[in-house]
Amino acid sequence: MEEIVDIKKYARKNQVPIMKDDGMDFICSYIREHNVKRVLEIGTAIGYSAIQFAKVRDDVTVLTIEREIDKVIRAKQNFHDNGLEDRITVLNEDALMANDVTGEFDLIFIDAAKAQYIKFFEKYKVNLAPDGVIISDNLSFHGMVEDFSLTKSKDTIRMLKKIRKYIDFLKENQEFETEFFKVGDGISVTKRKKQS
């Protein structure tokens, strides 16, 4: 499964959620413009975004975490097919339990279980390089975060409330400042506040 186009087709056919094109373009542009070299991704799925990030430049490396073994197997195959297995490492673990993530990252990308975003943020902020950013995806969740009436599912509404809570957490954070962008499915870019 060589080409990105094929990975996108597979994702559509098998209902694997992947980033919208404009959201992906936004992050890849950020990587390019800010000379990002080390990326930590929470939520690999089938490796679509990790591949896109690694393809921005030859010196970008990605460490990505995924708990579902079938997705890990598919992602590893995709990394291999794209000649990126030496620059993308995947950990088959629950990101909240993983203890072997060390070092600093220029960009931490959160795109896993939406209800756990605050926990992911708190766990991995220690791995953020001084001038690094934490980028979070799906903060609009198909427009439903702004408008609960778009779904009748109680489970979905519970999750949407968690996303709203995460947005409030970012807005009120004393240590970090966040910009929100209406691209893709709603993206935030969070940086440490400069010490005055």
Side-chain angles (χ1 to χ4, degrees):
M1 193 188 295
E2 179 111 17
E3 295 300 318
I4 285 292
V5 176
D6 295 330
I7 298 173
K8 284 169 86 169
K9 278 183 192 163
Y10 176 91
R12 258 197 309 273
K13 185 178 168 192
N14 294 277
Q15 296 182 311
V16 178
I18 59 172
M19 282 197 81
K20 291 187 173 183
D21 289 347
D22 56 341
M24 180 59 71
D25 291 345
F26 177 90
I27 298 178
C28 288
S29 294
Y30 189 94
I31 291 170
R32 195 174 297 110
E33 289 162 17
H34 294 83
N35 200 28
V36 167
K37 288 188 168 67
R38 291 196 75 207
V39 178
L40 171 63
E41 177 183 54
I42 315 300
T44 313
I46 56 173
Y48 172 73
S49 46
I51 289 168
Q52 296 276 56
F53 300 159
K55 284 190 167 187
V56 172
R57 272 195 331 271
D58 290 343
D59 60 353
V60 176
T61 60
V62 182
L63 174 62
T64 181
I65 308 173
E66 174 59 55
R67 67 182 184 184
E68 293 181 38
I69 186 62
D70 56 333
K71 287 182 177 169
V72 169
I73 291 165
R74 174 66 61 175
K76 281 185 172 180
Q77 184 62 53
N78 289 334
F79 301 152
H80 173 78
D81 290 349
N82 281 271
L84 292 168
E85 64 267 50
D86 59 333
R87 290 200 286 121
I88 305 176
T89 304
V90 59
L91 298 178
N92 180 206
E93 291 187 70
D94 181 324
L96 292 177
M97 303 293 153
N99 292 317
D100 39 7
V101 176
T102 56
E104 292 185 337
F105 296 86
D106 305 311
L107 191 159
I108 297 174
F109 179 51
I110 302 177
D111 189 20
K114 313 304 163 213
Q116 306 298 335
Y117 271 25
I118 293 176
K119 288 180 181 174
F120 293 141
F121 187 103
E122 292 286 31
K123 179 173 173 62
Y124 290 103
K125 68 181 184 182
V126 298
N127 296 102
L128 188 65
D131 293 323
V133 292
I134 298 174
I135 296 184
S136 309
D137 190 28
N138 303 120
L139 299 189
S140 174
F141 207 79
H142 319 296
M144 293 181 206
V145 171
E146 297 83 4
D147 184 359
F148 283 7
S149 72
L150 294 174
T151 179
K152 299 284 183 276
S153 161
K154 286 185 176 157
D155 287 343
T156 302
I157 288 170
R158 260 198 299 276
M159 183 196 63
L160 298 173
K161 286 179 177 173
K162 293 269 179 73
I163 296 174
R164 275 194 185 175
K165 192 175 172 188
Y166 179 64
I167 291 167
D168 290 340
F169 162 83
L170 293 177
K171 286 178 177 174
E172 294 160 13
N173 201 298
Q174 297 301 301
E175 190 184 350
F176 291 86
E177 56 191 0
T178 300
E179 279 188 272
F180 297 90
F181 297 89
K182 290 187 182 299
V183 293
D185 197 23
I187 286 176
S188 63
V189 178
T190 303
K191 305 173 184 179
R192 276 197 185 85
K193 289 181 178 174
K194 297 279 187 236
Q195 299 301 316
S196 51

